[in-house]
Amino acid sequence: MNANVNVNAQPTTKAKRVVLIGAHGTLGRAVRTALSERGHQVVTASRTGADVHVDITDPESIRAMYEQVAQQVGEIDAVASAAGSVPWRPLGELTTDDIRDGLEGKAVSQIELVRQGIAHLPPHASYTLVTGILAREPLLTGAVAALVNGAVEAFVRAAAIELPGRQRINAVSPTVFEESLDAYGDTFAGFDAVPVARAANAYVKSIEGHRTGQIFLVE
């Protein structure tokens, strides 16, 4: 396995082994860089082009991911998710399948990472999930995204009081990124965009810190 470690980094805390899901997206790349620069070992996981294969919408694939990581890397200190997809369609055009796809793509999938992780990760481990500003700032065509983000945030708060040992869970909830404005066109008109590096720093805060049940807003 080619788990990425920046050998020139100067760690400011004990180095951790972090499984990062979605390392190839705009956010995932920034999180990977931020963690590596702080001396952490980042094991990437995604459907293609990663250290470990995983389809987070498939519970069996998540199980296999955890087993493979344990065999090839050993004990994992943190799981960080920067992945999740939802359909963007006007409310009147939404189908039941659209709603289910959104829940599976970003909510159920991330919840499953935690549910299965409980049995695979040590007592000190942490989980960092991803939501987004639509949980609190609705937009046209964003009903499913708002639903899913809100569901993940509610889960984080509830799971924090039930996780075993000293396991922690938080979510990062960013606004639109400066680097993504062109892709969204006028969808986020009037929103103050932020550099994606700010959201990556929130992952650092979650992984290196001691807080749990928190939604780290990046806006």
Side-chain angles (χ1 to χ4, degrees):
M1 177 179 296
N2 182 26
N4 298 277
V5 181
N6 183 346
V7 296
N8 296 316
Q10 298 298 318
T12 57
T13 189
K14 181 180 178 181
K16 299 179 184 295
R17 290 173 174 170
V18 182
V19 175
L20 174 60
I21 295 97
H24 299 306
T26 300
L27 176 58
R29 290 194 301 270
V31 173
R32 182 180 183 182
T33 297
L35 294 175
S36 296
E37 287 179 347
R38 294 183 65 81
H40 301 301
Q41 180 180 358
V42 180
V43 181
T44 60
S46 67
R47 293 182 180 181
T48 59
D51 298 320
V52 179
H53 171 269
V54 69
D55 174 358
I56 61 172
T57 65
D58 179 0
E60 178 60 24
S61 182
I62 292 175
R63 182 198 62 77
M65 176 198 74
Y66 277 126
E67 291 183 354
Q68 183 179 354
V69 169
Q71 292 170 359
Q72 299 189 22
V73 176
E75 188 172 82
I76 292 299
D77 302 297
V79 173
S81 174
S85 60
V86 296
W88 289 71
R89 299 184 67 180
L91 183 63
E93 298 178 11
L94 283 177
T95 66
T96 302
D97 285 342
D98 288 331
I99 297 168
R100 287 174 175 157
D101 288 346
L103 288 167
E104 288 285 344
K106 193 171 183 180
V108 176
S109 56
Q110 293 194 95
I111 292 168
E112 190 68 9
L113 287 171
V114 178
R115 191 190 70 80
Q116 292 199 37
I118 290 172
H120 290 276
L121 271 62
H124 65 268
S126 71
Y127 309 88
T128 305
L129 309 185
V130 64
T131 65
I133 195 169
L134 267 68
R136 54 197 180 277
E137 293 281 352
L139 288 176
L140 289 176
T141 75
V144 174
L147 165 69
V148 170
N149 288 340
V152 173
E153 293 184 6
F155 171 76
V156 165
R157 295 187 180 98
I161 65 174
E162 291 196 55
L163 288 174
R166 293 175 288 112
Q167 287 190 0
R168 298 181 300 105
I169 183 170
N170 299 298
V172 174
S173 183
T175 185
V176 65
F177 302 131
E178 292 176 353
E179 293 84 351
S180 302
L181 283 175
D182 288 345
Y184 285 108
D186 294 330
T187 303
F188 286 89
F191 282 67
D192 292 325
V194 300
V196 69
R198 280 191 55 197
N201 284 338
Y203 278 78
V204 173
K205 181 192 298 185
S206 176
I207 292 167
E208 292 188 11
H210 303 282
R211 298 165 69 185
T212 189
Q214 303 296 303
I215 312 301
F216 295 119
L217 307 184
V218 183
E219 54 188 20

